[in-house]
């Protein structure tokens, strides 16, 4: 199977948090409900932004919802929010953030600075979505850590680097992204074009991938290709994130075991937001 470049069908419409919660009560159909949940958690992020904050801005449709909600706050004459700074993880999201009034670092400057990251986090906090979230708990049901799969938008390499620049990094998802085990979603792997066949063979033969496909018509912001690696659900081992990055030709991959969110915010169909943090008992 050949994968096409992901297309975003997320609505540009901006609804207030109250409007979103009201529509959720009407039992909106599947796709519409998922978009409403993204708006809901987007507002949760927007309402936490303080004047002058320097944000790490993630990629994907849920991050877009948060950016638009922040923009609504910046437009409101009654809202004290006047200035927000940001560093984006993709050119597309940098343009969107700038269009709603966020003072965004030029994306070319962001790309040029990836090899010389600050020794200490220089962004107040950041947010990003995820394709899958697994909560790791101990025998007492205490959250120890999270495992994430990201990369449907192909920006996972930059997302990891910007997340490391954040003093606190939050993951924002709708309830469909919470999984018992990560792995149902294909893992995006950024690869040099001249190494695609060699790397694909390694994933099939060494790691038992059920399918490895090049994402057709898609080039990352760093001008590399994406291989989508499908594993059996539950088969993704801790340690593979770094191990895969040692394969010749691999830039980075969509397993997020090393970069840990300080909080995962989950939007639910009843209009509530669930906050999950290490140390919580659930």
């Amino acid at each position: 199977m050949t994968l096409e470049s992901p297309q975003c069908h997320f609505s540009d419409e901006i609804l207030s948090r109250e409007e979103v919660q009201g529509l959720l009560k009407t039992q909106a159909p599947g796709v519409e409900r998922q978009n409403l949940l993204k708006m809901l958690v987007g507002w949760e992020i927007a309402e936490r932004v303080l004047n002058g904050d320097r944000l790490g801005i993630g990629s994907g449709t849920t991050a877009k919802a948060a950016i638009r909600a922040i923009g609504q706050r910046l437009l409101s004459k009654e809202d004290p929010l006047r200035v927000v700074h940001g560093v984006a993880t993709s050119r597309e999201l940098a343009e969107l953030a700038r269009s709603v009034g966020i003072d965004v670092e030029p994306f070319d400057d962001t790309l040029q600075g990836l090899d010389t990251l600050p020794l200490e986090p220089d962004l107040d906090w950041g947010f990003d979505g995820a394709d899958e979230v697994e909560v790791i708990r101990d025998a007492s049901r205490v959250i120890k850590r999270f495992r994430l799969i990201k990369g449907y938008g192909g920006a996972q390499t930059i997302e990891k680097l910007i997340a490391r620049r954040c003093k606190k990094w939050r993951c924002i998802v709708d309830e469909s992204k919470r999984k018992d085990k990560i792995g149902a979603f294909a893992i995006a792997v950024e690869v040099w074009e001249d190494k695609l066949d060699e790397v694909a063979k390694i994933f099939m033969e060494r790691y038992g991938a059920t399918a490895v496909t090049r994402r057709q018509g898609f080039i990352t912001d760093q001008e590399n290709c994406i291989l989508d690696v499908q594993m059996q659900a539950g088969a993704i081992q801790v340690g593979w994130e770094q191990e895969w990055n040692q394969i010749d030709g691999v830039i980075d991959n969509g397993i997020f075991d090393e970069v840990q969110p300080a909080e995962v915010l989950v939007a639910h169909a009843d209009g509530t937001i669930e906050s999950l943090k290490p140390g919580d008992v659930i």
Side-chain angles (χ1 to χ4, degrees):
M1 180 179 67
T2 299
L3 297 183
E4 298 298 332
S5 176
Q7 299 296 316
C8 173
H9 301 291
F10 188 70
S11 172
D12 290 343
E13 183 179 9
I14 300 296
L15 302 175
S16 70
R17 184 167 187 157
E18 292 72 22
E19 288 172 325
V20 170
Q21 290 171 320
L23 287 171
L24 284 170
K25 293 178 181 178
T26 67
Q27 301 296 315
V31 173
E32 180 183 345
R33 183 174 67 176
Q34 189 174 37
N35 286 343
L36 290 170
L37 292 177
K38 292 177 181 183
M39 292 182 195
L40 180 63
V41 76
W43 272 110
E44 179 69 22
I45 284 294
E47 290 170 1
R48 297 184 182 208
V49 178
L50 301 177
N51 202 48
D53 272 352
R54 300 188 72 237
L55 303 177
I57 299 171
S59 302
T61 52
T62 311
K64 286 181 180 180
I67 291 169
R68 293 188 178 110
I70 294 169
Q72 287 297 103
R73 288 195 60 195
L74 288 168
L75 280 174
S76 173
K77 294 181 180 180
E78 290 76 30
D79 198 301
L81 192 66
R82 288 291 172 263
V83 178
V84 178
H85 308 282
V87 178
T89 55
S90 71
R91 191 176 301 277
E92 178 189 8
L93 271 291
E95 293 172 357
L96 175 62
R98 187 173 296 109
S99 74
V100 302
I102 298 173
D103 174 34
V104 184
E105 176 180 270
F107 190 68
D108 287 336
D109 291 353
T110 301
L111 288 178
Q112 291 173 9
L114 293 178
D115 293 331
T116 55
L117 293 179
L119 295 177
E120 298 292 335
D122 64 330
L123 301 175
D124 294 310
W125 59 284
F127 60 89
D128 205 347
D131 302 313
E132 295 182 339
V133 176
E134 177 184 345
V135 181
I136 306 297
R137 300 177 294 178
D138 64 15
S140 300
R141 304 183 66 84
V142 176
I143 296 176
K144 306 303 291 182
R145 54 192 296 273
F146 303 99
R147 304 193 74 196
L148 312 179
I149 295 293
K150 292 175 49 57
Y152 187 60
Q156 70 277 357
T157 300
I158 302 177
E159 288 169 344
K160 287 183 182 180
L161 294 171
I162 298 304
R164 289 189 173 99
R165 290 180 58 182
C166 298
K167 296 173 184 175
K168 179 179 289 187
W169 181 63
R170 294 182 171 101
C171 178
I172 53 175
V173 294
D174 66 81
E175 60 187 7
S176 71
K177 305 299 177 64
R178 173 93 180 269
K179 306 294 183 181
D180 292 332
K181 291 286 185 181
I182 58 171
F185 208 91
I187 303 166
V189 182
E190 187 167 359
V191 181
W192 296 334
E193 186 172 16
D194 62 352
K195 294 288 185 177
L196 284 170
D197 291 342
E198 180 181 331
V199 171
K201 184 177 181 181
I202 290 173
F203 282 124
M204 294 294 291
E205 295 182 354
R206 186 184 303 173
Y207 294 98
T210 58
V212 180
T213 54
R214 176 178 179 173
R215 195 175 295 180
Q216 295 296 320
F218 184 85
I219 298 296
T220 71
D221 283 324
Q222 293 174 286
E223 300 184 345
N224 297 307
C225 301
I226 292 290
L227 284 178
D228 286 300
V229 179
Q230 185 67 61
M231 306 296 300
Q232 292 184 351
I236 301 171
Q237 298 179 20
V238 174
W240 276 5
E241 177 183 5
Q242 292 303 320
E243 189 174 318
W244 286 11
N245 289 346
Q246 301 306 310
I247 299 172
D248 185 29
V250 170
I251 311 301
D252 213 323
N253 64 82
I255 303 173
F256 277 60
D257 276 333
E258 300 293 326
V259 178
Q260 285 287 296
E263 182 178 22
V264 174
L265 296 169
V266 185
H268 291 281
D270 63 0
T272 62
I273 298 290
E274 181 183 18
S275 170
L276 302 172
K277 299 177 183 177
D280 287 350
V281 179
I282 60 171

